[in-house]
Amino acid sequence: QLQLQESGPGLVKPSETLSLTCTVSGGSISSSSYYWGWIRQPPGKGLEWIGSMHYSGSTYHYNPSLKSRVAISVDTSKNQFSLRLTSVTAADTAVYYCARRRIDYSSSWYEDCWGQGILVTVSS
Amino acid sequence: QSVLTQPPSVSGAPGQRVTISCSGSSSNIGAGYDVHWYQQLPGTAPKLLIYGNTNRPSGVPDRFSGSKSGTSASLAISGLQAEDEADYFCQSCDSSLSALFGTGTKVTVL
């Protein structure tokens, strides 16, 4: 059974870089049918998709509103993938979820497995 | 800011049928991209409920059903149960293959 687990600092200072890692267990990250990505949810609000990357690193998609500050990377040797979000502000305070993004066909992309989430607070 | 619009809340008595709408545009749902639905129970991560407009993952009760028409989609819950009280989100994407989430709907069982 596939499991995803987020890890990283729960507190980040304004203007600094938020860095999170997702460890995948119960399956390989090196599968051509999947992308690996991140979604966030500010307290009491809805879901915001951040981006996803293929394990090969050759293809990725980012939310246009975050694209200039986001980078996702994949480490197949550790079965992990990571998120970096630069120049954070209080508006980036949220629960961050890692997830597996499945592609059934060219017009059907969805997150079929999620981590439990990690709360990251941006504050000095 | 989400481009998929859902009603903020819906409610129903146990056993009733409720529906949640998800309104998009010709750039996303209307362009032929599938709609998927997630259920988020209080304090937990979202869980895939419906994929590919109408399909249920293994383990999801057949009380949940999805449909899509034009630039909109709907999720129906029949035989509403207390355990269905949760937030529900629709999802689709656009030509950039960026995912789009709906605004979310809170379902209350009266």
Side-chain angles (χ1 to χ4, degrees):
Chain A
Q1 180 182 350
L2 190 77
Q3 291 188 318
L4 287 73
Q5 178 69 58
E6 304 87 351
S7 60
L11 181 64
V12 181
K13 289 182 168 55
S15 80
E16 295 190 345
T17 296
L18 179 158
S19 296
L20 297 174
T21 296
C22 183
T23 300
V24 179
S25 59
S28 175
I29 203 171
S30 302
S31 172
S32 60
S33 299
Y34 301 106
Y35 281 55
W36 304 89
W38 297 87
I39 300 99
R40 69 180 183 180
Q41 184 173 35
K45 296 188 178 180
L47 300 170
E48 181 178 32
W49 188 80
I50 298 172
S52 66
M53 173 173 280
H54 191 256
Y55 81 91
S56 65
S58 61
T59 313
Y60 54 89
H61 307 101
Y62 291 142
N63 185 325
S65 68
L66 298 169
K67 188 175 183 179
S68 63
R69 298 194 292 131
V70 169
I72 295 174
S73 59
V74 176
D75 186 337
T76 55
S77 67
K78 295 182 179 178
N79 228 34
Q80 294 177 333
F81 60 102
S82 299
L83 169 71
R84 281 173 52 88
L85 180 66
T86 61
S87 305
V88 298
T89 70
D92 294 310
T93 293
V95 175
Y96 286 75
Y97 296 101
C98 61
R100 184 177 74 174
R101 194 181 193 200
R102 182 183 173 107
I103 313 154
D104 279 349
Y105 39 89
S106 62
S107 60
S108 189
W109 301 63
Y110 55 94
E111 277 69 19
D112 69 343
C113 188
W114 297 61
Q116 66 183 26
I118 183 170
L119 174 62
V120 178
T121 302
V122 178
S123 175
S124 55
Chain B
Q1 185 173 353
S2 176
V3 296
L4 301 182
T5 303
Q6 300 177 232
S9 63
V10 299
S11 61
Q16 283 191 328
R17 182 177 187 269
V18 297
T19 61
I20 301 169
S21 61
C22 175
S23 178
S25 72
S26 58
S27 299
N28 41 68
I29 298 174
Y33 294 101
D34 282 0
V35 178
H36 321 287
W37 293 89
Y38 300 86
Q39 178 193 58
Q40 187 175 31
L41 297 170
T44 69
K47 171 189 130 180
L48 181 66
L49 194 66
I50 297 286
Y51 67 94
N53 305 316
T54 61
N55 304 295
R56 288 185 307 275
S58 175
V60 173
D62 59 7
R63 303 185 290 104
F64 295 93
S65 62
S67 63
K68 174 190 166 184
S69 178
T71 59
S72 297
S74 292
L75 172 71
I77 310 173
S78 58
L80 194 64
Q81 298 183 6
E83 65 203 50
D84 299 332
E85 193 159 284
D87 293 324
Y88 293 82
F89 296 91
C90 63
Q91 181 199 43
S92 188
C93 61
D94 60 22
S95 59
S96 69
L97 299 179
S98 296
L100 306 167
F101 282 104
T103 49
T105 299
K106 182 176 181 59
V107 170
T108 301
V109 181
L110 301 173

